Amino acid sequence: MSDRADVGPLQLGERAPNFVLDAITREGKVAIDDFRGEKPVLVGLYRGLHCPFCRRHIATVSLLTPALNAKGIETLTVVNTPIERARLYLRYHPMVGLLAASDPERVSHRAFGLPNMEITEGESALPHKVSMSDVKAMRLNVPGEMPEPMDPFATLEYLNKKDNYDITEADQQMMATGVGQLMGQFLLDRDGVVRWTFSEVFDGGLGAHPNSEAMMSVASHIGQ
C-alpha cells in the first residue's frame, strides 16, 4: 500500500488505494475493494472516538446514510480507535446502518494522504507541523454547543465533558501518537475514483465540518 501523506490527500479523479481493516460493527474484515466494481462508497477517515469533532462528523454521516443508500451508495467509517474500545462506545451509542472499521495504526489515513500533523516547539509548516504557540492561538467553536470560541485543547476538554465521554487508556494511547492526525471524507464511484472530497485544514481548518449538501449533490450523479 502506498503512503502519500507527504503529497497530500487524494484529489478528484484519483483512484483510491485498497486497505483492509477489522470491522467494528460486524465480524470479519472490511476493505475498499469490497466496494470496487460494485457500489460507490463514502469513506470517512477520523482521528478516533476520543475526538468530539469526529463523533459529530460520524453522527452526521449516520443520519445521511439512509439517503445515500437510497442512491445506491454505501458508507464506511474508519476510526483510529482500538476495536474493543470502539465496540464498547457504539454499544452504548448505536448508530443505525453504520459500517465502521478500526484503524489504530492509521494505515488508511496514510494511504489516502491525510497527514499526522506534528506539534512542535518551533515553526509551523501546515499541514505537516504546527507550533504549540500557534495551536494555543487557534480558536475553535461549535455554534450552539460552546459558550465561546476556545483553543483546541480547551475545546476538546469542554466538548468531551459535555458529551460525558471519559478518556480511557486506549484513547490516551491513540492521542499520544495521533493527536494531530487530520480527518477527511472521500466519495468514491464504483471504480474507486474520487468524485468528492473533504480534508480537514485543507478545506476549512481544524475541526471544520464538510458541506453535506455539496456531497449529496455529487452523490445524486454517481449513484444508481
Side-chain angles (χ1 to χ4, degrees):
M1 181 187 304
S2 62
D3 181 343
R4 58 167 287 159
D6 290 338
V7 177
L10 292 178
Q11 299 298 304
L12 299 181
E14 291 192 276
R15 183 178 171 88
N18 187 42
F19 58 72
V20 182
L21 301 172
D22 290 319
I24 297 168
T25 49
R26 69 184 190 197
E27 295 301 319
K29 304 285 186 177
V30 62
I32 292 297
D33 281 355
D34 293 342
F35 307 96
R36 208 184 307 270
E38 298 293 332
K39 288 185 176 182
V41 57
L42 175 64
V43 181
L45 306 177
Y46 302 101
R47 272 186 288 280
L49 294 170
H50 61 270
C51 165
F53 291 109
C54 300
R55 295 196 300 271
R56 283 158 174 76
H57 283 219
I58 295 167
T60 297
V61 170
S62 178
L63 292 174
L64 291 173
T65 293
L68 287 167
N69 289 167
K71 299 178 185 298
I73 298 171
E74 299 294 335
T75 63
L76 172 60
T77 294
V78 178
V79 292
N80 303 150
T81 303
I83 191 165
E84 293 306 322
R85 170 59 170 155
R87 283 177 171 168
L88 179 63
Y89 176 83
L90 291 173
R91 186 180 308 156
Y92 291 98
H93 302 84
M95 298 185 194
V96 177
L98 183 72
L99 173 58
S102 171
D103 187 7
E105 302 299 324
R106 300 185 299 279
V107 294
S108 58
H109 295 67
R110 292 194 297 275
F112 275 56
L114 293 171
N116 184 8
M117 191 166 55
E118 177 188 3
I119 299 178
T120 72
E121 294 300 326
E123 64 178 357
S124 295
L126 295 174
H128 298 289
K129 62 181 179 179
V130 61
S131 69
M132 180 62 75
S133 60
D134 284 347
V135 171
K136 291 182 177 178
M138 294 177 185
R139 291 296 178 266
L140 306 182
N141 192 20
V142 179
E145 293 198 59
M146 296 170 56
E148 60 184 2
M150 303 177 186
D151 71 63
F153 298 113
T155 298
L156 295 180
E157 182 178 0
Y158 181 87
L159 291 177
N160 280 333
K161 184 176 181 180
K162 181 179 185 294
D163 295 346
N164 293 315
Y165 188 93
D166 295 324
I167 298 294
T168 66
E169 182 178 352
D171 293 321
Q172 291 173 342
Q173 290 174 351
M174 295 300 98
M175 294 167 69
T177 57
V179 69
Q181 177 63 62
L182 301 184
M183 56 184 173
Q185 293 181 354
F186 302 84
L187 181 59
L188 311 180
D189 65 18
R190 287 179 180 81
D191 296 321
V193 175
V194 179
R195 296 305 181 191
W196 173 88
T197 180
F198 163 83
S199 303
E200 188 183 27
V201 173
F202 295 90
D203 299 313
L206 193 65
H209 208 82
N211 186 328
S212 297
E213 291 185 2
M215 184 273 292
M216 291 299 294
S217 177
V218 175
S220 296
H221 292 91
I222 68 170
Q224 290 181 338

